[in-house]
Amino acid sequence: MTQVSMTVNGRAVSGEVEGRTLLVQFLREGLGLTGTHVGCDTSQCGACVVHVDGKAVKACAVFALDLQGAEVRTIEGMANADGSLSVIQQAFQDHHGLQCGFCTPGMVMSAAALLAENPKPSEAEVRKYLEGNLCRCTGYHNIVKAVLAASGQDVAAIAAE
Amino acid sequence: MPKDHGIGASQKRREDLRFLTGRGRYTDDINLPGQLYAAFVRSTVAHGRINAVDTATAAAMPGVVRVFTAADFAAVGGLPCGWQVTDRHGKPMLEPKHPVLAEGKVRHVGDPIALVVAETAEQARDAAEAVILDIAELPPVLDMKAAVAGGPLVHDELGSNLCYDWGFVEENREAVDAAIRSAHHVTTLELVNNRLVPNAMEPRCAVGDYNPATDETTLYTTSQNPHVIRLLMGAFVLGVPEHKLRVVAPDVGGGFGSKIYHYAEEAAVTFAARALRRPVKWTASRSESFITDAQGRDHVTKIELALDREGHFLAVRTETYANMGAYLSTFAPCIPTWLHGTLMAGNYRTPLIYVNVKAVFTNTVPVDAYRGAGRPEATFQLERVIDKAARELGMDPIELRRRNFITEFPYQTPVALVYDTGNYHATMDRLAEIADLAGFEKRRQESAAKGLLRGLGVNCYIEACGIAPSNLVGQLGARAGLYESATVRVNATGGVVVMTGSHSHGQGHETTFAQVIAEMIGIPESQVEIVHGDTANTPMGMGTYGSRSIAVGGSAMVRAASKIIAKAKKIAAHLLEASDSDIELKDGKFTVAGTDKSVDWGSVCLAAYVPHNYPLADLEPGLEETAFYDPANFTFPSGAYACEVEVDPETGKVTVARFAAADDFGNVINPMIVDGQVHGGIAQGIGQALLETCAYDENGQLVTGSYMDYAMPRADDVPFYAVDHSCATPCTHNPLGVKGCGEAGAIGSPPAVVNAVIDALQRAGHTHVTHIDMPLSPARVWAAMQH
Ligand code: FES
Ligand code: FES
């Protein structure tokens, strides 16, 4: 067991981990931040996406120990300071971009990373970027709409094409 | 103007707030004090005799508390099957024991052999790898026809791999044969309905807990129907009485059928928790899900459609081999029979139908209901053979369908069902508009200019939802009733809590059910809370599957709320010194008809709990009612779907360019949620048609056992969909006039996609290509074009 320290959602945290402990395990079991989900064991579903130093990362594909001193943001840290939903979260609700909610944290984190990189993505760019996030419920229709809406684009016109 | 509240309003979902902020509570999020972790030792071979299981090394490893093997479960029952099918000779199906841990033989890769319980999940997994198995491998039987023809026996004691040979309607058999012999034209199609892995994004998880001080056992599990699990596990497997057993299915991350069944892992962790007197948790890895979650479809079918000179359907005859896998999962036997054979009339007047289904044991993961369950298989073969017939007769496929549409309701099909309502011409008309069928030719030319082959596929579907009248399903072999229940509890201050036996795992019941109650009483939706998923605080419920929640669960809730309103009117009548027959409830206010005398909802609720001025001699205090609703019939959603594809002639790659769905769901509570259900179903249907398959190699190893090999539809595999449910013929036999919408997309879409691809190839001159089996991978499509 080794001590690891990092900042998670603006809060300094530390804990004892094994060398093989994944970031997602540290978040879920070590810190009780169960919003980040595990949907696979081959790093292909995206349910576990968080931000590490501002970049979208699959938390099942990095070891906690490799993130000494890192700045981590999870779904629990995405709402506005007053607790209201952020623009992206609100767009997911407004456009029914979630059903069972299991893929949702990863989707929101991926969408946030996309919009940080590319503030006005095309439909095709959204679909391409979200390739690493599986959703079995929504058929992606409303997720793509939500992301386009969060970028300030007129989704009614795009989806009616 | 669209409504902004109550029934018919696209209310945003209240459950989203917790899911969007990471505050959902899924089973794996639950950790109990003193919790241990379980890992299963599983068979790595498809078929073998267990000579020895050596647990000594594993048991001595750090953190290991106990290693359980089949011997520890000797006094425990097998996992029960909930449906008994009787074959066409009147014999009951063959029903093997399904032990919690494999006894004597392993029968599929993933079959659990031992259970290791340790202080941490890592320790449990490490020790599971140290359990030494001595298994003599046996030749597996994988192909269904070979299994029936005398291949190795999956269950030696049964003497056959044929679970049942079912005929429906057996009395029609000779008449169907005669009609086919003498028909003007017979179209024949042989096809495979590919095996699928449901792949709910949340892997299964179970936490067992036991309190020796109270003798109470609790199971937290990823289930679509916690009461059913309580009944099956309590009464049949572990022998724990229901009043001492609580099953909680908290937030559940999708099900699609795969979380209906009672699984070995649920019983095993509960058994272990009782034995060790500490909580025991198991969470499936995705790799485990692939080899343990019940899989779907897997039919091999030959269908024949007989037509007269004008294209009227005369008879349908089918022969289907349906894979059961290695054991009978909870509802497996009923899927290819009562949820498939009864649907073979589709939307059409076919006077004579005969369906033969041979259910077969193989050394593969058990197969059971997956979104649509039997109905997609029925729809696919029927809608594919109709398309083929249209081509053979030189008729327009839409016209051929229209010519045979059922137009008068109620309609008694020759396969037992009575459709109460529908308007198939109207949904087809609506489809033509939303799909812009008139613009297809122009789009086809645009594709051609890019060197792509564009095709159009259209089809209809009907499904039987809202399962089902209990007396009927009892006759058909169900070992359960299929009612639903609800308790409506009104608090003294007027707030309402509805405890429903339906379970929500993505469907948004917390929002829609509240819309219904708010509308009935005339109070804001924020005054209504929906509780589900815990046997401790909901009445006996049958859960959510088969698109039954609003039709059956919603009806139970309406019935309970109607009792509440009737009682509240009596209280109001007392307060207003009027007769209760004169009391009207509107917008949360009770008024004496024709007067301005009124009392509001809150005052009546308060009076019920503070009964100072109250008709105590005639009426009990309190305002809480329970109702059970047993449906009078199935409901019959139907629709027409259109798909346009582009096929790359160089590579065979198929792209879905457009997809449109016109559905008749009867009345709709929340259009936004209904649209979402259809979107999700369409994506699963496109996945089945183009991408997904569950492939076993000749040794019975699952080749498609991870997301690297099993091609799930991703965001860039699908387009935006045009969906519409404005053609609504309300259900005639439930109080809300609702039909259910959860499975439609997955039922209606695979034939649309395949019809479109065949159309594209036919238009390009590949006239010999009349069928390609799903999934229509580039390799298969390319190969079809090479002849
Ligand atoms: S858990 Fe699936 S990608 Fe991380
Ligand atoms: S909302 Fe259920 S997996 Fe995406």
Side-chain angles (χ1 to χ4, degrees), chain A residues 20 25 28 34 39 41 44 75 89 93-94 98-102 123 127 131 136-141, chain B residues 12-13 20 26 28-29 122 126 198 201 286-287 370 676 680 684 692 707-708 713-716 718 721:
Chain A
R20 61 176 165 176
Q25 289 174 300
R28 288 182 56 82
T34 55
D41 48 5
Q44 283 172 314
I75 189 70
Q89 290 169 312
Q93 187 188 28
D94 291 348
L98 62 152
Q99 292 182 23
C100 77
F102 197 78
E123 179 202 338
R127 291 187 184 276
E131 239 206 327
R136 195 54 152 171
C137 296
T138 63
Y140 304 103
H141 184 107
Chain B
K12 292 176 198 171
R13 299 199 324 168
L20 281 164
Y26 300 88
D28 190 50
D29 301 341
E122 290 77 12
D126 289 348
M201 290 317 302
R286 179 59 60 183
S287 301
Y370 165 62
Q684 289 182 354
E692 299 178 39
Y707 290 143
M708 279 183 279
R714 294 171 183 268
D716 56 358
V718 292
Y721 323 104

Side-chain angles (χ1 to χ4, degrees), chain A residues 37-49 58-61 132:
Chain A
H37 295 154
V38 179
C40 74
D41 48 5
T42 51
S43 296
Q44 283 172 314
C45 75
C48 63
V49 171
K58 287 180 170 167
C60 70

Side-chain angles (χ1 to χ4, degrees), chain B residues 521-586:
Chain B
I521 302 175
I523 54 176
E525 284 149 32
S526 58
Q527 292 262 80
V528 185
E529 197 66 26
I530 308 297
V531 174
H532 64 94
D534 185 346
T535 60
N537 57 23
T538 56
M540 177 67 189
M542 295 311 293
T544 290
Y545 41 83
S547 308
R548 71 193 298 273
S549 293
I550 196 67
V552 192
S555 297
M557 176 179 74
V558 167
R559 190 173 273 185
S562 301
K563 291 191 200 176
I564 291 278
I565 290 169
K567 182 170 179 185
K569 281 183 176 172
K570 289 195 178 126
I571 302 170
H574 177 86
L575 295 175
L576 295 168
E577 296 173 340
S579 154
D580 53 334
S581 58
D582 291 336
I583 301 291
E584 290 169 354
L585 170 62
K586 194 165 180 285

